[in-house]
Amino acid sequence: MSKPSIPQGTRDFSPELMAKRKFILNTIENVYQSFGFMQLETPAMENLSTLTGKYGNEGDQLLFKILNSGDYLKDLALETLDSKSLIPKIAEKGLRYDLTVPLARFVAMHRHEISFPFKRYQIQPVWRADRPQKGRYREFWQCDADVLGTDSLLCEADFIKIYQTVFSKLGLHDYEIRINHRKLLEAVCEKADAKQHFRTITIIIDKADKIGIDGVAKELGSIGLDAAQVQTVLSLLNKKELSKQTIEAFSKDLSGTESIGKAIEDLNKLIDLCGNNLKQIVLDGSLARGLDYYTACIFEVVPTSVKMGSISGGGRYDNLTEVFGLKEKVSGIGISFGIDRLYDVMEELQLFVGQTSSFADVLFCPMDEEAISYCLPLADICREKGFKTEIYPSPSKLKKQLDYANSKNIKWAIIVGESEIEKREVSIKNLVDGNQQTSDIVDFVDLIH
RNA sequence: GUGGUCAUAGCUCAGUUGGUUAGAGCGCCAGUUUGUGGUACUGGAGGUCGUCGGUUCGAUCCCGAUUGUCCACCCCA
């Protein structure tokens, strides 16, 4: 028997780890709910046909496929197939790659039961057959929230407020909300007379963080842009402040282009809706986001004091359900938190240190078999009062029982032996300060806090 | 898919210019204290040095392959 192990890029979450993860998960879920989002869950696996072709050429390769049951090679003429054409014949299901496509599938299937605007959140694991590295796992959790069926800029403003609320509750202050508008990107390309290179250009400027302005200029040159065109594109990267002045400047620089009007209008409106609350927001012209379906405002959140990729991303899209053949357009906007990265960032910044998690409040320590049944109704009283309570399952040595309490960070030990039972009492020990007192079995619970 | 890195106790890591009994800290178990923990002291368990092959009288150490880890590129949360 070889040593047990788990697949690469996956992790076990110990009780200590789960306590911290739940804190993040619950925080995000509570904030979503406080904005009126409703929960949706979808299966871990989808039909492969639902997933393929939605994430670009490379995306399909990152899908985990599930082998069909039974003798899946029975009727195949293997010699006539290559591996690519083989896959659809032997695998009809795959693990979900994100939560947006399942949402689109759900909406397409249940269009007639849904009334718009439809606000849903979804917190579930997703799987990608990527090569693992820092902040990248093959199984990780996404926390999505989307609003479908409205073009209102209020959604954008709400999501910004959701970001600020969540991070404030988590105690994470070193972050930056980056905002951009796809139409701004289009306008720049149009102005530079390089519309046909739109995709390539967005991919290049998206790397500005890593390769710097000079690097961007170089790569733009390498795809055939002349110096003037490169300068036009680079002009996007200088202005960082989200303000009416910046937007006015863009409006002038890019006047005459087809797309600029919509971008200016949206961003101005967004500023109005946010009021003065533009804390930690930057207008980042280099933000592009790979997914093609975004059409207007796009977001990304990055930690500023830790080297880590984005911990959240999102944006507005025009037609979510188009690929599923729904004739009616369903536009919307969504964001997603990556809580695995969020966890890594918080761990690195030691934001969990103040939170001592205890797995129980009260431990009953029976000294003999008779004491166990004596403790049973008393433990129920504690639980009814809201204390997490357990009874040590065997009358072991007291030292062992108290060690157990320490290891679980339990504050109260209630010791019951022959003498307590005789006098209808319990001995209550506070394991934090070491004080101990006796009490009758009616009032003892009042001493616990 | 491409490149690099590392793999020794449950965990974090030493170490051997290739030589016979492979170490530390933490953790775990037991005792000092037969009903009082978190401190201290004493003792104990636990490793075919990732796997397979090669070189050698001899390999945990050198070489090759393989698997896994971590990191970077691509892409992304």
Side-chain angles (χ1 to χ4, degrees):
Chain A
M1 180 84 187
S2 58
K3 276 188 186 175
S5 62
I6 56 176
Q8 65 171 218
T10 64
R11 296 146 299 156
D12 287 322
F13 300 119
S14 65
E16 291 74 21
L17 237 135
M18 275 311 293
K20 300 177 192 170
R21 281 176 67 87
K22 285 293 251 188
F23 168 66
I24 301 176
L25 245 17
N26 291 341
T27 301
I28 293 171
E29 181 164 24
N30 288 338
V31 172
Y32 280 166
Q33 287 176 347
S34 77
F35 278 76
F37 288 86
M38 303 177 290
Q39 186 166 22
L40 173 71
E41 289 208 355
T42 61
M45 64 184 90
E46 293 277 353
N47 291 329
L48 216 43
S49 58
T50 301
L51 301 172
T52 45
K54 310 295 190 297
Y55 307 106
N57 298 335
E58 306 215 353
D60 284 355
Q61 306 210 293
L62 299 181
L63 289 172
F64 277 107
K65 290 124 192 142
I66 298 173
L67 226 41
N68 290 345
S69 318
D71 188 1
Y72 50 82
L73 290 181
K74 201 168 58 181
D75 295 323
L76 294 179
L78 284 181
E79 311 76 47
T80 66
L81 294 169
D82 57 19
S83 53
K84 203 173 174 185
S85 55
L86 178 65
I87 289 171
K89 299 199 188 303
I90 62 172
E92 285 158 5
K93 299 174 290 296
L95 294 176
R96 82 164 89 78
Y97 180 92
D98 71 356
L99 301 179
T100 305
V101 165
L103 169 67
R105 193 223 77 223
F106 176 85
V107 172
M109 279 178 69
H110 297 92
R111 172 61 195 94
H112 300 292
E113 303 155 36
I114 295 170
S115 64
F116 294 130
F118 178 59
K119 301 172 80 169
R120 76 87 231 221
Y121 73 90
Q122 186 168 357
I123 298 177
Q124 289 189 275
V126 303
W127 294 268
R128 293 180 190 181
D130 226 344
R131 192 165 290 203
Q133 57 181 276
K134 187 179 166 88
R136 174 176 296 185
Y137 305 98
R138 297 185 127 182
E139 177 186 61
F140 63 98
W141 284 63
Q142 288 192 326
C143 310
D144 276 34
D146 286 80
V147 185
L148 302 180
T150 171
D151 292 332
S152 169
L153 266 297
L154 176 64
C155 303
E156 276 83 343
D158 268 356
F159 280 128
I160 286 170
K161 201 170 282 173
I162 285 174
Y163 278 142
Q164 291 166 334
T165 310
V166 166
F167 294 128
S168 152
K169 290 195 177 192
L170 293 179
L172 177 64
H173 304 294
D174 303 338
Y175 69 93
E176 197 175 81
I177 303 172
R178 299 180 177 167
I179 294 186
N180 199 8
H181 200 291
R182 293 283 280 208
K183 293 277 188 281
L184 200 56
L185 294 168
E186 284 175 26
V188 165
C189 290
E190 191 184 338
K191 189 80 178 177
D193 199 20
K195 261 173 112 172
Q196 71 279 19
H197 291 123
F198 178 66
R199 264 218 75 164
T200 321
I201 291 175
T202 56
I203 290 171
I204 292 172
I205 61 176
D206 203 37
K207 291 194 276 190
D209 264 8
K210 261 179 203 164
I211 62 179
I213 299 277
D214 295 340
V216 172
K218 213 181 218 170
E219 289 204 24
L220 288 175
S222 74
I223 62 165
L225 268 55
D226 64 34
Q229 288 176 303
V230 169
Q231 265 320 305
T232 306
V233 174
L234 290 184
S235 71
L236 192 59
L237 308 184
N238 303 325
K239 312 186 179 68
K240 284 273 171 187
E241 190 196 352
L242 180 63
S243 69
K244 298 228 166 173
Q245 287 82 357
T246 313
I247 292 168
E248 179 61 29
F250 273 125
S251 181
K252 265 186 203 139
D253 291 353
L254 302 173
S255 65
T257 59
E258 191 183 325
S259 322
I260 190 65
K262 172 74 174 148
I264 299 303
E265 185 191 330
D266 280 359
L267 290 172
N268 270 325
K269 199 158 187 184
L270 182 56
I271 291 175
D272 286 339
L273 283 167
C274 287
N276 294 322
N277 192 13
L278 295 173
K279 201 176 67 173
Q280 279 155 315
I281 301 176
V282 296
L283 180 65
D284 185 350
S286 72
L287 175 62
R289 301 204 50 79
L291 293 166
D292 285 336
Y293 58 74
Y294 292 121
T295 50
C297 285
I298 44 182
F299 307 112
E300 199 159 279
V301 180
V302 292
T304 49
S305 53
V306 175
K307 192 168 170 281
M308 176 71 76
S310 63
I311 50 179
S312 180
R316 180 172 282 284
Y317 37 83
D318 269 349
N319 199 347
L320 183 71
T321 49
E322 188 177 24
V323 287
F324 292 107
L326 209 63
K327 294 214 174 70
E328 169 195 23
K329 266 196 177 186
V330 177
S331 68
I333 173 169
I335 61 167
S336 179
F337 288 92
I339 84 131
D340 302 270
R341 285 184 178 176
L342 208 39
Y343 175 91
D344 290 346
V345 168
M346 290 181 64
E347 194 66 86
E348 202 165 327
L349 294 175
Q350 303 191 320
L351 297 183
F352 293 115
V353 286
Q355 305 174 21
T356 50
S357 65
S358 83
F359 296 101
D361 305 308
V362 179
L363 177 70
F364 279 85
C365 304
M367 300 316 301
D368 53 45
E369 283 296 334
E370 190 191 348
I372 292 180
S373 38
Y374 181 85
C375 290
L376 276 166
L378 304 181
D380 283 337
I381 293 174
C382 292
R383 293 187 186 113
E384 264 164 47
K385 286 275 178 182
F387 297 111
K388 288 178 271 185
T389 303
E390 60 182 312
I391 302 172
Y392 198 85
S394 60
S396 309
K397 282 182 168 180
L398 190 53
K399 171 175 163 49
K400 195 169 162 83
Q401 301 196 36
L402 294 178
D403 277 342
Y404 175 82
N406 278 329
S407 72
K408 288 183 78 170
N409 234 320
I410 293 172
K411 184 175 179 187
W412 300 97
I414 299 188
I415 301 158
V416 175
E418 235 175 284
S419 57
E420 283 87 358
I421 295 176
E422 204 171 292
K423 295 187 228 160
R424 311 296 293 166
E425 283 178 345
V426 291
S427 295
I428 301 179
K429 186 180 178 76
N430 179 329
L431 293 176
V432 176
D433 60 23
N435 290 331
Q436 185 170 328
Q437 53 190 316
T438 56
S439 164
D440 64 68
I441 56 173
V442 179
D443 298 325
F444 79 100
V445 76
D446 298 331
L447 298 173
I448 297 170
H449 49 265

